[in-house]
Amino acid sequence: MLRSAFVVFMLLVTVSIGACIVSACGGGGGGGGSSGATTTGLVSGAPEVLYTDVLSGPTSGGENNDGMYLSIFGKNFGSNLSAVQVTIGGHPVAGYRYLGPSRGRPDVQQLTVQVGSLGGAAQGTALPIEVAVGGVASNTNLTFTPNPGRMLFVSHSGNDATAVPGDINHPYRYVQNGSDGAFDVAKAGDTIVL
């Protein structure tokens, strides 16, 4: 059954966020961005943002109330997460979750963050994403748009009857279960995290 809601499924791995993104239910795409990022003006060896896994999402709710997980794919991100700073619309992100190789593309790195409040940025406004490594900035031609929505977590240890949207400690058991799974209760703008 298809709905008009935009839902993003993310594979949540024990210590990192995987790159398994699937968009469903129409309205938007999960693999957005340009695969040929403009690099004009970049310093040789500067970080280069190629694409992201999502184009928009909530800036609150979810794990630690830090909003949407955003994976940024590119090159020259380094190997030391403490040397990396991600800003969206000039505002630092709330948390860093993973830096390492992307799955399926050994020549591309993945950097996963939680976007946070972004300084209270207006919903519906596309904001440029910038990755700085050791003070050297990336291109900023890709964007993230804050939008309303909830985070719905799904885990094999969850329970559909006691699940609480936005609470990683009270996940759903099933993605779709006829009437009680995460997909069954999802609304437009919600994000399902597996």
Side-chain angles (χ1 to χ4, degrees):
M1 170 171 78
L2 293 179
R3 297 182 180 198
S4 61
F6 172 67
V7 179
V8 177
F9 298 93
M10 299 178 76
L11 177 60
L12 182 60
V13 182
T14 308
V15 291
S16 66
I17 306 298
C20 180
I21 305 299
V22 179
S23 65
C25 310
S34 168
S35 62
T38 303
T39 59
T40 304
L42 285 181
V43 176
S44 178
E48 182 178 10
V49 177
L50 299 173
Y51 55 93
T52 63
D53 62 347
V54 294
L55 300 174
S56 66
T59 57
S60 63
E63 187 177 2
N64 301 318
N65 199 35
D66 285 337
M68 184 74 177
Y69 297 103
L70 171 68
S71 287
I72 303 165
F73 297 87
K75 297 185 178 194
N76 301 322
F77 292 168
S79 59
N80 182 357
L81 193 54
S82 64
V84 177
Q85 181 182 15
V86 176
T87 57
I88 301 175
H91 302 285
V93 296
Y96 296 83
R97 299 291 177 227
Y98 175 76
L99 172 62
S102 70
R103 295 180 181 191
R105 291 277 320 254
D107 60 327
V108 173
Q109 289 181 284
Q110 176 182 343
L111 172 61
T112 302
V113 299
Q114 269 187 280
V115 298
S117 68
L118 301 179
Q123 292 184 351
T125 302
L127 304 171
I129 299 167
E130 179 179 275
V131 175
V133 179
V136 179
S138 70
N139 53 305
T140 58
N141 59 313
L142 298 180
T143 62
F144 176 80
T145 304
N147 279 320
R150 304 175 299 172
M151 308 274 297
L152 307 174
F153 294 93
V154 177
S155 170
H156 70 280
S157 63
N159 183 328
D160 291 341
T162 60
V164 177
D167 187 345
I168 195 170
N169 296 312
H170 293 92
Y172 289 85
R173 170 67 175 101
Y174 297 101
V175 173
Q176 194 169 15
N177 189 19
S179 63
D180 298 331
F183 184 78
D184 303 310
V185 300
K187 299 176 182 175
D190 286 356
T191 302
I192 295 175
V193 182
L194 303 176

